[in-house]
Amino acid sequence: MKAELEAIQVAAQEALKDVKTAEALESLRIEYFGRRGKLTDVMKGMGQLSKDERPVIGKLANEVRASLTDAFEATKNALDCKHQEQQLITESVDITLPGRKPAYGKAHPVMQTLERIESIFTQMGFQVVTGPEVETEHYNFDALNTPPDHPARDLHDTFYLTDGHLLRTHTSPVQIRAMENQKPPVRIIVPGKAYRVDYDVSHTPMFHQVEGLLVDKHVTFSELKGVLVSFARQMFGDQTRMRFRPHFFPFTEPSAEADITCTVCQGKGCRSCGHTGWIEILGAGAVDPEVFRAVNYDLEEVTGFAFGMGVERIANLQFRIPDIRTFYENDLRFLRQF
Amino acid sequence: MNVTLNWLKTYIDFEFSAIELADRLTMLGIEVESIKELGTALKGVVVGKVNSIRPHPNADKLVLCQVDIGEEDALQIVCGAPNAREGMFAPVATIGTDLPIGISIKRTKLRGEESHGMLCSEKELGISDDATGLMELSSDIPIGIGFTDALGLDDTIFELEITPNRPDCLSLIGVAREIRAETGNEIKLPDVNLQEDDSDIREITSVTIDASDLCPRYAARVIRGVKIGESPDWLKQRLESVGIGVINNIVDVTNFVLMEYGQPLHAFDYNKLGEKRIVVRRAAAGEQITTLDEEERKLTPDMLVIADATKPVALAGIMGGYETEITGTTRDVLLESANFDPSSVRATAKALGLNTEASYRFERGVDPETVIPAIDRATQLIVELTGGTVCEGIIDVYPGKCELLQIHLRPKRVNFILGTELEADEIRQILSRLGFGVDTLQQQDNIYQVTVPTFRRDITREIDLIEEIARVHGYDNIPTSLPKGDIPIPTTNTLDEVRRRIKHYLLGSGMMEAINYSFCHPNCFDKIRLAGDNPLRDALKLQNPLSPEMSILRTTLLPSLLENAQHNHNHQIDNIALFELSTVFLNGNEPARIAGILAGEIGGGVYGNPHQSPDFFDIKGIVEGALETCGVMDWTFAKTDASTFHPGRNAEVLLGDQRIGILGEAHPEVLDNYELPYKAYLFELDLEKLAAVADFSKRFEPIPVYPSVLRDLAIVVDQDMPSDLPIDIIYSTGGDLVESVRLFDVYVGDQVQEGKKSLAYTLTYHSATETLTDKEVNDLHDKVVKRLNQELGAELRM
Ligand SMILES: [Zn+2]
């Protein structure tokens, strides 16, 4: 019987080596462990053994059984493993097929720029306020120290409405509205649309401006410079330098235009900056006392500064779009670029 | 305005290079827009003498010239100019020269004869439009020297932007004064030394000002026996260098002095003036004048004219009259130098659509004290250039003479405004260099009394002086600091928050942001099929639109978005998903709107993510999501009869009974009007109304601890029954125990009776306090089924 057991063990192990499929393994398992299996038969014969033999052979039988069980288990694992590998191979995909991109939208490039400008100034404590686009002569011009026969009105080619109103030519009227509604300190920025009769590669009849106004007991021109230099660095990079040139606006005095170092040549001089190394980006100045008079502020008690910039112009320093009217065609091939 | 470096140097000394000068002027507030080197383009053009001429053997119209340009051998040059003659001095473009008008000079053969250069006309040199013949040069110029050297053309032209507040800089002397502020060097005014004859001007003419409010000063001189002719080269060059056309010696002198002093002058043909006298008055009703440009102009009584005894002879400060203009036969000249009211000149110029060098200056304000120096300077030049004699005396009517303006200036205030630490003495020096008189008013308080020179009419207040000080001190020398004041407490703005959240949401849902002009075409309302009485048709109109397409202000954003779809479709882009956030113009208000369009295809259009056509429920879902981002929950949709939309595929969004927006499929006719070959889905929401109900507050709700039980329910109902009716009944039946109801299928077809549809829902039952037993759920579910049957006649579908 001992020999029989050993023979079974050897035969089973040999047979396991040739097993290739789960089905073959199962029938082999039945052949040995099934109710009529070879090992089962031997185990059944144990009863006929003598008392002396029984523990010896019993022990051997258990060992054979355990070792064969392990061997079957191992073969089963190996087969499973192989099966899974094969399964995975059949599941492989062509990784060059296109990904399924979720649709995503993009803010309009002018808005992207506007939002950046807004966030820089709000971090400096400026609050965003807005005002109407249909305005009166009073708010758009008169209260901003630009009486009807002032030559400065020529600088603004104005759209008039048939009802006597006009489309604001700048966001500056909101300065007046804000000061009428609020006592100093005032620290606001005014983003919004403005309109001028102008239509060519560098002008659209509607454009966006950001106006800024700071009024308090003692605001200096030096602080105007500080705020704008800080803005320019955040907007255009730390290396950006800014220069202030005297200029004229009816509602500021002293008035300035501010240039930044050319974003193309970094100030060395190139075609974009007319070989000066500088690019004009905004107008600014100390609030003219006549403006304070128009809103009943005390001319001696408060001072302030204001600034205004064209958003398309600033956007285009980065984007370099040859015809800025492209901004408002809403061509999706254009909008998707930004 | 243009000025040149050489011309400026005749009024003030300075050592700056052209680039340095441009930089200084720019930093003083006179922006130099361009710098042009005049001579460099004509390098290679030399002075030549035509030694001999013989006919061209093969061409009748050409001749062969032997031209001496100061080299060993004379050059043979083929020439076709009618005025070429032996002994003539003319400019020669030598081989290798690139002329500014685009001609490159090469050795060439013309009809078989060699030509070693080109004899040039003024036009070929880019100096003027004269192409009638060779430019004739004076025979005392050394042969062979550079053409630009010979004519003093080596110069630099600066194009200046003079701001409206600085009319005093609209002249060379004015610009020189700015250089004085920079350098401290003195101005060199022209020497004027008039030799008058002994006939008294008062005996041969007079000036009467009948409108002294509009004419503060009028001066006249009479020069007789003038010979009208061409101006000398130096004068022509000066004028041409700054872009002023040359006319005749008298007009050229008035233009030269205009540029020099900034004082507009006008010369009348004295003998054509009725009664040989001048009356400054308002035009009479119905009067007319033919101006120098030979246009007949109707005058109104608010216009100021210069008249003779009977008729207007000039538009004051704008343009002279045609009848009394200087012509080749003029013998005697009455020269006007006057000052006019800026507003009046501006109004008249505007009304007549005329804009001249004179009106440009008078509108901005001219110094009345320049009247006399300018007329004397011009008179002297006219005498020199025309051989005339000047009558004794000058008529100078000056009803508007003003006291010099004096302003108090507190040096402390200067530093207070600018944030500088300037010494009082520095301030005094700056003002003095600008031509201001500075006196100390009260020693103890350190207040200056500043006297404003007459040429600075823009300076009327202390703040104006502070700007002058800042400008000359240099804006770049003012320190930079950050504001020290308190930051005002910000207020919150729900509308902004709504705008921000919805925009964020729409971007996330794949829509691109559009920005359109606020203008549109009045036919856009027809194109979107608005009824004739729709209040949206009540749009504001522009008085001066750029085009009909931009002639009204939009009252809805939908037409713009449809146009955007059309534009994109026309460019073969058909996956259109756009939105716009903007105000519209309605009933005198500017309410904020958000609108969007889906059209053509959605989806990536690639394998695995094919294009699909959007439908009503895509746009509805977008609107629902937008409402959710604003914390709005209890909206309802209701069909409308809005004619822009497909009658069966549109809805208004209601909050209670308030309409906050509309959405739907564009009506087929609307699609046709915008030439769209596919369906388009639109929405437009009223952001103010949305902001009024928006609720951004959030409170934690416990996450369910007890398991939910899911039950599917398929019912058959009438086909036209809205799918949300059963949902309402399910909720009201189940109460708190119904967590959610989700419609997952709608079926119409063979499997159900005609006129019926099957709706399939998944119900989620859940209790916050216990685990629901099967029995509890079954009982509840049965109750639901029963009520659906009772109230809607819904049959369970097996
Ligand atoms: Zn550059």
Side-chain angles (χ1 to χ4, degrees):
Chain A
M1 201 156 192
K2 186 182 169 205
E4 213 176 331
L5 274 170
E6 282 166 353
I8 284 172
Q9 182 167 17
V10 172
Q13 269 164 349
E14 279 304 309
L16 273 176
K17 280 182 194 161
D18 295 332
V19 166
K20 293 277 184 297
T21 65
E23 294 74 36
L25 181 66
E26 180 59 12
S27 54
L28 196 64
R29 195 188 63 77
I30 292 167
E31 188 181 337
Y32 286 91
F33 293 98
R35 261 190 318 138
R36 302 246 168 85
K38 289 176 180 164
L39 195 57
T40 320
D41 282 351
V42 175
M43 300 297 263
K44 278 181 191 156
M46 294 281 281
Q48 288 141 28
L49 290 175
S50 65
K51 249 187 185 164
D52 295 345
E53 275 177 318
R54 204 180 281 172
V56 182
I57 299 297
K59 188 167 174 265
L60 178 67
N62 282 341
E63 280 167 10
V64 169
R65 189 187 165 85
S67 106
L68 282 183
T69 306
D70 285 352
F72 269 85
E73 190 63 24
T75 307
K76 182 173 187 300
N77 285 345
L79 280 175
D80 283 353
C81 213
K82 215 167 171 186
H83 176 75
Q84 193 179 20
E85 268 169 34
Q86 275 167 352
Q87 179 79 25
L88 290 181
I89 284 163
T90 63
E91 284 171 8
S92 62
V93 298
D94 176 358
I95 55 159
T96 65
L97 288 174
R100 207 170 286 125
K101 232 187 285 176
Y104 67 104
K106 291 176 175 180
H108 191 280
V110 168
M111 284 301 140
Q112 293 181 26
T113 307
L114 181 63
E115 281 160 17
R116 231 177 115 208
I117 297 171
E118 270 184 27
S119 86
I120 292 171
F121 283 109
T122 46
Q123 280 167 35
M124 290 194 268
F126 286 79
Q127 178 158 21
V128 177
V129 300
T130 55
E133 292 165 28
V134 170
E135 266 296 2
T136 60
E137 297 256 352
H138 172 76
Y139 283 106
N140 197 71
F141 290 123
D142 300 344
L144 289 161
N145 196 28
T146 318
D149 59 352
H150 198 292
R153 285 210 178 182
D154 293 349
L155 302 175
H156 295 200
D157 229 336
T158 310
F159 282 114
Y160 289 92
L161 301 175
T162 51
D163 69 354
H165 284 83
L166 50 79
L167 287 175
R168 66 179 180 193
T169 56
H170 45 187
T171 44
S172 311
V174 186
Q175 281 186 29
I176 304 296
R177 292 180 177 276
M179 286 190 281
E180 282 177 345
N181 288 329
Q182 192 182 344
K183 290 283 147 225
V186 177
R187 196 185 282 218
I188 57 168
I189 53 162
V190 184
K193 291 171 182 164
Y195 303 84
R196 289 183 202 173
V197 186
D198 231 343
Y199 193 67
D200 58 42
V201 293
S202 45
H203 297 92
T204 49
M206 179 190 88
F207 55 97
H208 293 77
Q209 279 194 332
V210 177
E211 184 88 6
L213 176 71
L214 198 161
V215 179
D216 206 342
K217 282 205 166 57
H218 183 194
V219 179
T220 65
F221 197 82
S222 152
E223 291 168 0
L224 166 64
K225 287 184 66 180
V227 164
L228 292 178
V229 166
S230 168
F231 161 73
R233 291 217 180 130
Q234 293 179 67
M235 190 77 197
F236 304 106
D238 287 339
Q239 76 294 339
T240 308
R241 280 175 298 128
M242 192 174 227
R243 75 169 185 186
F244 293 80
R245 287 179 285 106
H247 199 71
F248 169 74
F249 303 106
F251 42 97
T252 52
E253 185 98 347
S255 301
E257 274 187 342
D259 303 334
I260 54 162
T261 36
C262 174
T263 50
V264 177
C265 64
Q266 271 71 48
K268 290 191 230 19
C270 69
R271 255 185 45 195
S272 324
C273 55
H275 304 282
T276 61
W278 297 101
I279 291 197
E280 178 202 325
I281 60 155
L282 55 83
V287 178
D288 194 290
E290 290 307 312
V291 174
F292 287 144
R293 195 192 304 280
V295 297
N296 294 316
Y297 277 14
D298 186 321
L299 313 189
E300 282 291 309
E301 279 301 304
V302 295
T303 54
F305 64 72
F307 55 85
M309 62 190 92
V311 182
E312 285 82 354
R313 187 183 173 78
I314 289 179
N316 220 15
L317 288 184
Q318 184 194 353
F319 303 137
R320 295 180 205 162
I321 300 157
D323 182 342
I324 74 156
R325 291 173 294 193
T326 316
F327 273 131
Y328 301 121
E329 284 176 357
N330 298 307
D331 190 304
L332 283 156
R333 293 165 299 182
F334 172 82
L335 296 176
R336 286 181 190 131
Q337 290 179 27
F338 302 98
Chain B
M1 186 188 65
N2 291 347
V3 299
T4 81
L5 191 67
N6 291 347
W7 197 353
L8 270 177
K9 281 185 170 166
T10 64
Y11 307 106
I12 189 163
D13 295 325
F14 56 89
E15 302 292 312
F16 305 134
S17 69
I19 301 288
E20 279 167 349
L21 181 67
D23 187 55
R24 301 289 177 116
L25 289 175
T26 296
M27 296 311 280
L28 277 169
I30 299 179
E31 195 178 341
V32 176
E33 292 187 318
S34 72
I35 305 176
K36 201 167 98 191
E37 298 290 340
L38 200 56
T40 47
L42 296 177
K43 290 272 178 286
V45 181
V46 298
V47 176
K49 182 186 173 196
V50 180
N51 279 344
S52 64
I53 293 185
R54 60 190 170 87
H56 191 294
N58 308 318
D60 291 345
K61 297 226 166 121
L62 298 177
V63 291
L64 305 179
C65 304
Q66 292 298 317
V67 183
D68 181 2
I69 58 161
E71 287 173 5
E72 213 167 311
D73 297 317
L75 303 176
Q76 169 167 298
I77 295 177
V78 179
C79 175
N83 66 339
R85 59 168 205 282
E86 289 183 2
M88 179 184 196
F89 281 60
V92 179
T94 54
I95 285 161
T97 305
D98 293 317
L99 291 176
I101 57 165
I103 301 175
S104 293
I105 309 299
K106 297 187 189 83
R107 174 172 299 127
T108 176
K109 272 189 178 176
L110 286 165
R111 297 282 188 97
E113 288 293 332
E114 287 206 359
S115 187
H116 299 263
M118 186 169 99
L119 285 155
C120 302
S121 69
E122 290 190 15
K123 184 171 184 179
E124 284 156 345
L125 295 173
I127 300 176
S128 79
D129 286 337
D130 186 356
T132 53
L134 302 183
M135 179 177 185
E136 180 133 22
L137 300 175
S138 155
S139 59
D140 44 22
I141 301 174
I143 293 166
I145 72 160
F147 171 75
T148 53
D149 291 344
L151 270 74
L153 284 181
D154 271 319
D155 203 348
T156 307
I157 303 168
F158 301 93
E159 189 191 341
L160 307 181
E161 186 204 337
I162 309 289
T163 53
N165 60 325
R166 294 303 305 274
D168 62 299
C169 289
L170 291 168
S171 67
L172 279 116
I173 290 173
V175 175
R177 278 193 298 252
E178 290 293 294
I179 300 173
R180 174 179 66 181
E182 188 72 13
T183 60
N185 296 341
E186 277 313 308
I187 301 283
K188 300 180 287 183
L189 291 175
D191 273 337
V192 176
N193 185 13
L194 276 177
Q195 302 291 319
E196 298 174 338
D197 67 20
D198 47 12
S199 51
D200 187 346
I201 188 170
R202 276 160 214 82
E203 288 171 8
I204 59 165
T205 190
S206 70
V207 171
T208 313
I209 301 181
D210 283 345
S212 59
D213 54 333
L214 303 185
C215 178
R217 191 172 196 180
Y218 196 103
R221 274 191 181 273
V222 173
I223 304 120
R224 294 189 292 189
V226 301
K227 195 165 164 270
I228 308 299
E230 250 186 73
S231 295
D233 285 347
W234 70 265
L235 178 53
K236 289 201 258 182
Q237 277 158 31
R238 284 283 190 243
L239 292 177
E240 282 166 352
S241 69
V242 297
I244 295 178
V246 171
I247 296 169
N248 60 45
N249 46 10
I250 303 254
V251 176
D252 292 352
V253 164
T254 59
N255 283 333
F256 178 82
V257 176
L258 168 79
M259 287 307 297
E260 192 169 53
Y261 279 93
Q263 170 67 51
L265 301 169
H266 185 67
F268 295 99
D269 187 324
Y270 169 79
N271 294 306
K272 290 180 186 161
L273 293 171
E275 296 181 16
K276 318 252 188 297
R277 64 190 181 93
I278 293 290
V279 180
V280 184
R281 59 166 169 85
R282 287 181 165 83
E287 260 185 330
Q288 295 193 346
I289 184 174
T290 303
T291 42
L292 279 177
D293 51 7
E294 297 182 48
E295 291 279 325
E296 190 166 291
R297 299 182 186 273
K298 291 190 172 56
L299 305 176
T300 55
D302 53 341
M303 295 176 175
L304 187 71
V305 295
I306 312 303
D308 59 15
T310 56
K311 59 182 187 302
V313 292
L315 289 168
I318 301 171
M319 191 180 268
Y322 179 67
E323 269 181 60
T324 52
E325 79 167 331
I326 303 295
T327 64
T329 58
T330 300
R331 295 285 302 151
D332 307 323
V333 171
L334 183 139
L335 188 61
E336 161 199 297
S337 179
N339 195 276
F340 301 108
D341 174 63
S343 307
S344 160
V345 171
R346 184 176 159 79
T348 304
K350 227 177 165 181
L352 297 176
L354 265 172
N355 190 5
T356 62
E357 292 280 343
S359 69
Y360 189 80
R361 286 170 174 79
F362 281 123
E363 280 177 24
R364 285 159 175 74
V366 177
D367 177 10
E369 292 301 316
T370 314
V371 162
I372 300 304
I375 198 171
D376 285 349
R377 165 71 160 160
T379 303
Q380 169 144 333
L381 287 172
I382 289 171
V383 168
E384 277 171 20
L385 302 184
T386 66
T389 59
V390 55
C391 293
E392 189 204 337
I394 184 166
I395 295 180
D396 180 12
V397 188
Y398 197 176
K401 189 168 174 62
C402 297
E403 294 283 303
L404 284 177
L405 181 66
Q406 295 191 317
I407 302 172
H408 288 179
L409 175 73
R410 295 161 291 172
K412 253 191 188 163
R413 184 78 179 168
V414 175
N415 289 322
F416 184 88
I417 296 280
L418 299 179
T420 46
E421 288 171 6
L422 290 169
E423 300 287 338
D425 204 48
E426 279 179 276
I427 290 170
R428 171 198 285 270
Q429 277 175 24
I430 288 172
L431 290 173
S432 302
R433 284 223 299 267
L434 283 165
F436 292 87
V438 185
D439 299 300
T440 308
L441 184 67
Q442 288 162 285
Q443 196 66 51
Q444 67 276 31
D445 282 330
N446 206 3
I447 295 181
Y448 287 144
Q449 172 152 302
V450 179
T451 306
V452 181
T454 52
F455 56 83
R456 290 306 302 273
R457 293 161 63 104
D458 57 313
I459 306 291
T460 58
R461 305 166 301 169
E462 185 183 46
I463 192 72
D464 300 326
L465 293 172
I466 294 175
E467 178 173 62
E468 289 303 294
I469 294 157
R471 199 166 69 80
V472 176
H473 176 62
Y475 281 8
D476 278 352
N477 295 323
I478 295 172
T480 299
S481 62
L482 284 174
K484 291 157 204 73
D486 291 339
I487 293 177
I489 296 162
T491 53
T492 52
N493 181 333
T494 319
L495 182 61
D496 270 354
E497 184 62 13
V498 163
R499 212 180 264 144
R500 207 179 58 77
R501 286 186 188 223
I502 293 191
K503 175 169 174 172
H504 212 77
Y505 165 76
L506 292 177
L507 291 174
S509 74
M511 300 182 86
M512 305 291 286
E513 184 181 22
I515 299 179
N516 285 288
Y517 293 125
S518 302
F519 319 108
C520 58
H521 195 293
N523 74 6
C524 73
F525 302 125
D526 293 336
K527 286 175 87 174
I528 62 166
R529 296 183 82 245
L530 288 187
D533 60 350
N534 192 306
L536 290 180
R537 284 183 177 266
D538 191 14
L540 291 167
K541 293 173 190 64
L542 295 185
Q543 224 178 73
N544 53 336
L546 277 172
S547 67
E549 286 75 31
M550 298 186 171
S551 62
I552 62 167
L553 294 181
R554 55 187 181 163
T555 55
T556 156
L557 304 181
L558 297 181
S560 311
L561 289 172
L562 284 160
E563 272 170 29
N564 296 155
Q566 182 176 10
H567 168 96
N568 279 291
H569 170 64
N570 288 344
H571 293 86
Q572 292 98 43
I573 309 148
D574 290 317
N575 40 356
I576 294 155
L578 285 165
F579 74 91
E580 182 171 9
L581 255 168
S582 176
T583 50
V584 294
F585 301 84
L586 204 55
N587 307 325
N589 291 318
E590 295 176 23
R593 296 276 189 269
I594 189 157
I597 185 168
L598 289 182
E601 301 147 345
I602 51 178
V606 293
Y607 170 81
N609 185 15
H611 281 317
Q612 290 171 291
S613 299
D615 68 19
F616 178 83
F617 301 99
D618 288 303
I619 203 82
K620 182 182 173 191
I622 283 172
V623 169
E624 288 174 314
L627 296 171
E628 276 173 23
T629 61
C630 300
V632 176
M633 284 320 217
D634 34 11
W635 68 82
T636 54
F637 289 99
K639 274 194 183 163
T640 75
D641 55 3
S643 46
T644 300
F645 296 100
H646 186 301
R649 297 181 182 173
N650 76 78
E652 57 184 347
V653 186
L654 296 170
L655 279 167
D657 50 8
Q658 163 123 275
R659 176 196 276 201
I660 60 164
I662 191 156
L663 63 99
E665 180 181 308
H667 192 281
E669 278 177 23
V670 173
L671 297 175
D672 279 352
N673 293 338
Y674 290 94
E675 293 167 344
L676 291 173
Y678 35 66
K679 295 188 167 82
Y681 295 89
L682 302 160
F683 75 86
E684 187 166 30
L685 299 177
D686 182 325
L687 288 175
E688 264 99 1
K689 285 184 185 159
L690 203 48
V693 293
D695 178 6
F696 304 126
S697 64
K698 293 272 194 304
R699 187 155 310 147
F700 168 76
E701 276 185 31
I703 291 162
V705 261
Y706 299 102
S708 306
V709 181
L710 272 57
R711 286 280 193 280
D712 283 354
L713 172 69
I715 52 174
V716 177
V717 294
D718 290 344
Q719 206 175 323
D720 58 359
M721 197 198 67
S723 74
D724 56 358
L725 274 185
I727 295 180
D728 291 346
I729 289 174
I730 295 166
Y731 276 118
S732 72
T733 311
D736 287 348
L737 297 181
V738 177
E739 189 183 310
S740 70
V741 183
R742 185 161 53 82
L743 177 72
F744 69 86
D745 192 35
V746 178
Y747 175 79
V748 179
D750 297 345
Q751 308 291 314
V752 296
Q753 214 183 317
E754 210 176 297
K756 299 275 182 183
K757 66 181 169 188
S758 153
L759 299 172
Y761 302 89
T762 295
L763 282 61
T764 306
Y765 293 104
H766 171 259
S767 162
T769 53
E770 58 177 342
T771 301
L772 292 174
T773 64
D774 268 1
K775 185 173 182 320
E776 283 169 319
V777 172
N778 291 341
D779 289 352
L780 195 54
H781 197 67
D782 288 347
K783 233 165 133 187
V784 165
V785 171
K786 209 165 158 194
R787 268 196 70 193
L788 288 173
N789 180 265
Q790 283 167 354
E791 295 183 24
L792 304 175
E795 300 285 345
L796 265 191
R797 184 174 173 218
M798 295 305 162

